[in-house]
Amino acid sequence: MSNRRSRQSSSAPRISDDQMTDLVSKLRLLLPEIRERRRSDKVSASKVLQETCNYIRKLHREVDNLSDRLSQLLDSVDEDSQEAAVIRSLLM
C-alpha cells in the first residue's frame, strides 16, 4: 500500500483509478482553458486540478465584483423606484 493511501482515514470512501480518471475527464470538459485545446493535447491530472482551482478562484472574484456592482447600483437608486423593483424581482 502506498504511503499516500495509508494516510487516508479508514472511513474515507475509496476512489478507484478509473473513477479518478473519469472525474478528471469531466473536470477537463468544464474548464475553458483546457477545453479549448485540441483533443490530442495531453494534459496531466495535476494540471487539470491546478486549472480547476484557478478557475474557481476566478469565479469567486467575478461573483465578488458583481456583488459590489450590484450593491453600488442598489445604493444609487431610490428604494421605492421602478428600477429598484426591477432589481429586486431579478434577485428573487
Side-chain angles (χ1 to χ4, degrees):
M1 182 179 277
S2 74
N3 189 25
R4 184 183 84 214
R5 289 186 186 231
S6 64
R7 286 183 289 184
Q8 290 179 340
S9 168
S10 60
S11 64
R14 299 283 174 145
I15 298 177
S16 70
D17 288 344
D18 288 342
Q19 289 172 313
M20 185 66 76
T21 300
D22 184 52
L23 291 170
V24 169
S25 294
K26 288 177 181 177
L27 279 175
R28 185 177 284 131
L29 294 173
L30 295 173
L31 299 171
E33 191 74 22
I34 293 176
R35 187 179 57 223
E36 294 167 0
R37 295 181 184 179
R38 289 192 318 262
R39 198 74 158 135
S40 60
D41 291 347
K42 293 285 183 180
V43 179
S44 69
S46 65
K47 179 68 174 174
V48 171
L49 294 175
Q50 183 179 31
E51 288 298 325
T52 300
C53 291
N54 292 339
Y55 188 57
I56 290 170
R57 279 190 211 96
K58 178 184 171 204
L59 291 174
H60 277 286
R61 282 192 304 273
E62 286 182 26
V63 167
D64 289 343
N65 289 338
L66 289 171
S67 294
D68 290 344
R69 287 175 56 194
L70 180 59
S71 292
Q72 291 170 356
L73 180 61
L74 289 171
D75 289 343
S76 70
V77 296
D78 180 19
E79 202 175 296
D80 299 323
S81 70
Q82 183 65 28
E83 292 90 358
V86 170
I87 293 169
R88 281 194 298 275
S89 72
L90 291 172
L91 295 175
M92 303 216 167

